[in-house]
Amino acid sequence: MKPCRFGIFLLLLISSSALAQVKVDAELRPRFEYRHGFKTLFPDNTDAAAFISQRTRLNAGYTDETLDFYLSVQDIRVWGDVPQLNNADRNGLGIHQAWGALRFTPEISLKLGRQVLNYDDQRIFGGVAWAQQARSHDVALLRLKQAKFTAHLGAGFNQDGEALTGTALTTNTYKALQYLWLHHDWENLGTSFLFLNNGRQFIDAADDANNETRYSQTLGTHMEFSKSNLGLMGNLFYQFGRDGNDNKLSAYLLGLEASLKVQRQWTFFLGGEMQSGNDGGAPAAGENKAFAPLYGTNHKFNGLMDYFYVGNHASNVGLLDLYLGAAVKTGKKAALNIRLHHFSAAADLPTTNSKQLGAEADLVFNYNFNKTINIKAGYSYLFPSEGMEILKGNFDDNTNYWGWAMVTIKPTLFATQEN
């Protein structure tokens, strides 16, 4: 969308404010990163990476008695990726979200368009807010909302563009998707159920007649219990069907976490997650036993250095992640989060009897300067084992660490008063 057209849209929203609720806000988020072993082991004879990336968004929302409408335009860049006297940006503006929700009754609505899908702890569906571009889906979503029960039925069908013949998809995304999510809240317990039917495009370069959509299914539950200062969380998911290479899929994820709040300042965490994998790191005999977290916010799990499931580790040896940590409020506006992870392979590694992959320490500092400005900084260090070197194919003896600092500015530019 061109900037002038977006401006016209905002003017139309503001002019209708007497009959509806309108809010226009923005986001500016520059982030500095220093990468020395981020996502993979650092090789010899190379320099560390350092850069500043930035996300800029302009968001507008409109609500009346029967309609919710939302538009989010974003620009993603790295400082210096275009010359100072540029006549066109490298990436340009893009649409992050553009959806409308039709309310048939106070409880039932239909949401159509490009939207973020966030469910539970974002293990299977998440917005990946850490990534500057984030993730959004083109889906139709039928929603039922009651006092303690929520049901979502969603579906998407993706194509490269308008065509006269054929429906083969060449982009690296799902061809078709359908899911059902149910959630119920009790006094101290919240439970969700998810069924996801995920279709991936297969293209036979030799014979178009063999093109097909191969479906896998993910079935599982997420539970959260809280009482007094104790919290418990659990995930249990099973995957079956066929993967994109037509292997039979049989995989699982099991996660458990306990938290304990001590006084007002301290919260302690202890947990573990097991994702099944393939012996030797690849499917064998037409069977894939490696769990794939699909469209979750994977950066949130298994260490912040993104060694697992963030654009890597698919169909591999799986993972056992045992972790402990603490969150401490260092003032009214500041907090410190510490996590220690121990990683092991869930299946056998090639060329070694050990399953040890290493350990990681993550440290994140958060400071709310005011309601509009937030400052975060973090440092992570990886302690790899021989298994990690085998897994990543790098036996160079180097330190692996990552540091970053980020400022998020989110002002409200315009908002009507509620009637």
Side-chain angles (χ1 to χ4, degrees):
M1 177 178 290
K2 295 182 179 179
C4 62
R5 293 180 181 176
F6 190 75
I8 293 172
F9 169 75
L10 294 182
L11 290 175
L12 291 174
L13 285 182
I14 293 172
S15 65
S16 65
S17 60
L19 302 176
Q21 299 299 313
V22 177
K23 181 180 179 181
V24 180
D25 59 61
E27 180 185 52
L28 178 70
R29 194 177 79 168
R31 180 170 69 222
F32 169 78
E33 294 186 49
Y34 186 87
R35 295 179 173 181
H36 192 284
F38 177 81
K39 210 169 187 178
T40 191
L41 299 175
F42 195 75
D44 286 339
N45 303 317
T46 55
D47 295 325
F51 58 89
I52 300 172
S53 61
Q54 179 175 309
R55 178 168 80 196
T56 307
R57 284 182 181 168
L58 186 59
N59 311 310
Y62 170 95
T63 300
D64 64 22
E65 293 181 354
T66 60
L67 173 68
D68 293 320
F69 186 85
Y70 188 76
L71 179 62
S72 177
V73 178
Q74 70 179 14
D75 172 80
I76 307 301
R77 65 179 60 236
V78 173
W79 286 13
D81 66 356
V82 295
Q84 296 174 1
L85 299 176
N86 69 306
N87 55 15
D89 282 349
R90 181 174 180 177
N91 297 314
L93 292 176
I95 298 295
H96 175 52
Q97 294 193 73
W99 54 263
L102 290 67
R103 288 196 299 276
F104 304 114
T105 72
E107 295 181 332
I108 301 175
S109 64
L110 178 62
K111 188 177 180 182
L112 302 168
R114 192 162 189 86
Q115 54 194 278
V116 172
L117 299 179
N118 274 332
Y119 289 103
D120 303 315
D121 63 347
Q122 303 186 43
R123 199 63 191 98
I124 305 299
F125 278 115
V128 198
W130 167 261
Q132 297 287 36
Q133 72 276 14
R135 173 186 281 137
S136 52
H137 302 253
D138 298 313
V139 296
L141 180 58
L142 183 64
R143 303 180 296 182
L144 171 66
K145 175 64 177 178
Q146 297 178 334
K148 294 186 177 182
F149 176 75
T150 304
H152 285 189
L153 180 62
F157 180 73
N158 292 329
Q159 290 302 121
D160 295 332
E162 297 181 7
L164 297 179
T165 61
T167 62
L169 179 74
T170 60
T171 56
N172 185 26
T173 184
Y174 53 82
K175 172 71 172 290
L177 173 148
Q178 307 88 36
Y179 71 92
L180 174 66
W181 178 77
L182 306 174
H183 180 82
H184 194 282
D185 287 315
W186 286 269
E187 181 177 358
N188 300 113
L189 177 67
T191 302
S192 298
F193 167 86
L194 175 68
F195 175 77
L196 166 63
N197 189 40
N198 188 65
R200 304 286 298 189
Q201 177 75 68
F202 169 76
I203 296 179
D204 189 333
D207 187 356
D208 290 344
N210 294 328
N211 294 349
E212 62 179 354
T213 304
R214 294 170 174 172
Y215 285 93
S216 67
Q217 293 77 43
T218 300
L219 177 68
T221 184
H222 171 85
M223 295 175 287
E224 293 187 11
F225 172 84
S226 62
K227 188 173 183 180
S228 186
N229 294 330
L230 176 66
L232 298 173
M233 182 278 294
N235 282 321
L236 177 60
F237 290 97
Y238 178 68
Q239 286 180 339
F240 54 101
R242 316 295 292 191
D243 68 11
N245 294 317
D246 207 28
N247 295 303
K248 180 182 177 181
L249 185 61
S250 178
Y252 64 89
L253 178 149
L254 173 63
L256 297 171
E257 179 181 284
S259 62
L260 178 65
K261 188 174 182 179
V262 180
Q263 299 179 347
R264 294 183 178 181
Q265 290 80 19
W266 288 87
T267 302
F268 295 94
F269 302 91
L270 177 65
E273 182 179 81
M274 169 76 86
Q275 297 190 53
S276 62
N278 296 305
D279 288 336
E287 185 175 17
N288 187 356
K289 298 180 180 180
F291 188 88
L294 295 175
Y295 313 112
T297 303
N298 296 326
H299 174 77
K300 178 182 175 184
F301 303 89
N302 311 135
L304 297 180
M305 291 182 71
D306 290 351
Y307 271 64
F308 308 101
Y309 303 107
V310 183
N312 56 46
H313 207 65
S315 299
N316 215 302
V317 294
L319 183 69
L320 173 61
D321 175 13
L322 303 176
Y323 61 89
L324 57 89
V328 55
K329 294 181 179 179
T330 58
K332 293 183 179 180
K333 297 183 177 182
L336 188 66
N337 193 295
I338 304 169
R339 294 258 176 154
L340 301 175
H341 296 262
H342 181 270
F343 302 124
S344 303
D348 292 337
L349 285 163
T351 71
T352 180
N353 293 324
S354 174
K355 292 186 177 182
Q356 300 301 309
L357 298 178
E360 180 179 326
D362 297 321
L363 178 67
V364 177
F365 175 75
N366 182 78
Y367 179 72
N368 293 315
F369 185 79
N370 55 33
K371 293 182 179 180
T372 302
I373 302 172
N374 173 265
I375 301 171
K376 288 184 179 179
Y379 181 82
S380 298
Y381 194 96
L382 183 77
F383 305 87
S385 298
E386 181 187 5
M388 184 73 80
E389 296 175 336
I390 295 172
L391 198 62
K392 299 297 183 180
N394 184 345
F395 297 87
D396 298 339
D397 187 15
N398 293 306
T399 57
N400 298 276
Y401 55 92
W402 170 57
W404 57 275
M406 181 171 70
V407 178
T408 304
I409 304 170
K410 300 180 69 172
T412 297
L413 307 179
F414 175 85
T416 59
Q417 298 294 324
E418 295 186 5
N419 296 328

